[in-house]
Amino acid sequence: MELADKIVLLTGGSAGIGREIARQLQAKGAKVTLTGRNPERLAAMREEGFETIEADFSSAAGVDALLKKWGSKDIDILLNNAGQLVDHDFREGDPDADAADDCIYTNLNAPIRLISALMPQLRARPQAAIVNITSGLAIAPAARTPIYCATKSGLRFYTLGLREQLKDSNIRVIEALPPVVDTQMNDGKPTKKMPPEECARQIVVAIAQDQDEANIGLTKALRIAESISPALARSMTLRF
């Protein structure tokens, strides 16, 4: 896909991987509108020339508010990057059920709702793409964050099904599976972390080259292990 002049809606684009994706798409001539929850970060992105929309995807009302603001505008690429991480560990007390609900809606329900609502506009374009950011944790889950892992696994399987449905259409369905990336979400983790700029670069390459998947960093090893044995991939959880 030629990225110049493509109209992009990028969720969660004011920090971390999303911010770097926005910058790299902009550098290739794409017209990027990004969402976020932090007004100061959004203001900083506007200073860089981006259109921004403040949006909270932890409920249907938040998603619908974004869709109302977007309206009937054209869209070539929908990039579902917004996500929440919540600990859900009974070894350390009773987890917060409301926080789990927010995580589930943000990471899984919201992308599905956005895709469903924007499908007519995507179908109307000569060439379009839906890009869902999942995680290596969709393959090898971490015990401390089972809610996050479950949502990313759910989005992964939704993406696989959607790709099959749209295989003969104008819409390319792409999944990006990042490893642990050096973002605010992963502050304090002792594991080796990929720079967000490199993770974003590989995602943008996958979009430009019409790849079905971007298996990034250590996720490549997980995908190889999964192809041999799902149990082998899951056994790599602690190392991942």
Side-chain angles (χ1 to χ4, degrees), residues 7 51 56-57 59 67 77 80 83 95 121 145 152 157 159 165-166 194:
I7 301 167
E51 295 290 330
D56 183 342
F57 294 141
S59 69
L67 290 167
I77 302 173
N80 289 304
Q121 284 133 285
T145 56
K152 291 302 184 178
F157 278 90
T159 303
Q165 293 177 19
L166 300 179
M194 173 177 281

Side-chain angles (χ1 to χ4, degrees), residues 5 44 53 67 93 131:
D5 296 321
I53 301 175
L67 290 167
V131 185

